[in-house]
Amino acid sequence: MKILRIASVMGYQLEVLVEESSSRNECWIVCESSDRILCDHFYNEEPVSKFFRYSDVSASAWQDFDSNIPSKTSKYFEEDLSEPFNYRESQDILKSVHDLPVLRKIWNTAKKSLVGIWENGESKFELKESGEFVLHSSGDRSNLKFSSSATEWDTKPWTLLLRDSSGAGSRMGIYSCNEKTLQLSSFDYDVIVEDFSRVSE
């Protein structure tokens, strides 16, 4: 079994666990806080550890793992192994964790840490404290398709919301944010998260 650990700004440690063979490739999404909780379980015909990566390849850290899958499940856990999970139709394989509760104190700290300018070599954007969203650039190869009409940003637990003047917009998962790095869910089917670096003002 292999594991990919993703530190989360929401007070949870996210884990992607995979068991791969020539006939079946299973994947478990686990969250750890005071307990390890199983959030999702699916399988695919392609090896998950080779198929999924970080946008920054150097950040990928699949490791060998020898432990049990937790028996405790999240409140909204649903297991469906009747057919393979279709990666290409899903924008976010970690979406099952969005139902986990987030402490208000942790969320308020996370929201404040989002304020700033972020870039990843393709896209550069600014989240202002006033709630204004400014898109400085968005490359054609970017795995996040920012709307050029978006002017406002807001959040709810696990999610960054971008809106234009009419209220229409897009959303993406937030998985990690600190003084240097922001990780958002990617719109590219073979990328787990999109890494952004904070720009010093």
Side-chain angles (χ1 to χ4, degrees):
M1 181 174 287
K2 294 181 180 180
I3 184 172
L4 177 65
R5 292 183 174 92
I6 305 175
S8 171
V9 73
M10 305 307 173
Y12 295 93
Q13 170 79 47
L14 304 185
E15 301 175 353
V16 182
L17 303 172
V18 296
E19 185 74 63
E20 298 172 339
S21 69
S22 59
S23 59
R24 191 179 181 92
N25 300 287
E26 294 191 61
C27 182
W28 296 262
I29 307 298
V30 175
C31 277
E32 182 176 1
S33 181
S34 56
D35 296 312
R36 295 178 73 234
I37 301 172
L38 180 61
C39 297
D40 204 357
H41 179 205
F42 54 85
Y43 81 96
N44 189 59
E45 296 172 349
E46 300 174 74
V48 180
S49 64
K50 295 180 180 180
F51 194 71
F52 279 116
R53 59 181 174 83
Y54 282 105
S55 61
D56 179 359
V57 177
S58 64
S60 297
W62 287 99
Q63 301 173 350
D64 291 334
F65 184 71
D66 184 17
S67 185
N68 295 324
I69 303 299
S71 57
K72 185 176 181 179
T73 61
S74 68
K75 181 178 180 180
Y76 301 98
F77 175 75
E78 294 183 4
E79 185 177 57
D80 183 5
L81 301 179
S82 61
E83 58 184 22
F85 180 81
N86 191 334
Y87 295 136
R88 291 170 175 80
E89 292 183 358
S90 176
Q91 293 183 350
D92 188 357
I93 69 160
L94 299 175
K95 61 183 179 181
S96 59
V97 307
H98 292 193
D99 295 320
L100 294 172
V102 179
L103 294 176
R104 182 179 294 276
K105 182 179 180 180
I106 291 178
W107 177 243
N108 287 341
T109 300
K111 187 173 180 179
K112 289 179 181 178
S113 70
L114 289 168
V115 174
I117 302 174
W118 302 94
E119 67 177 357
N120 67 348
E122 284 290 327
S123 298
K124 182 178 180 180
F125 63 91
E126 183 174 0
L127 304 176
K128 294 189 176 184
E129 190 172 359
S130 63
E132 181 184 0
F133 172 78
V134 179
L135 180 62
H136 295 288
S137 62
S138 182
D140 293 337
R141 293 180 298 168
S142 174
N143 295 323
L144 284 174
K145 306 302 182 185
F146 294 104
S147 171
S148 59
S149 62
T151 57
E152 301 175 354
W153 72 279
D154 199 354
T155 59
K156 65 178 185 178
W158 301 101
T159 308
L160 174 65
L161 306 169
L162 303 179
R163 302 189 185 96
D164 60 24
S165 57
S166 69
S170 59
R171 62 182 62 198
M172 53 202 71
I174 302 171
Y175 294 109
S176 183
C177 184
N178 55 43
E179 66 277 5
K180 294 182 179 180
T181 304
L182 169 64
Q183 292 185 331
L184 301 175
S185 60
S186 174
F187 289 168
D188 192 344
Y189 65 80
D190 67 346
V191 177
I192 296 178
V193 294
E194 188 75 22
D195 295 316
F196 289 87
S197 299
R198 188 185 297 275
V199 178
S200 300
E201 300 185 48

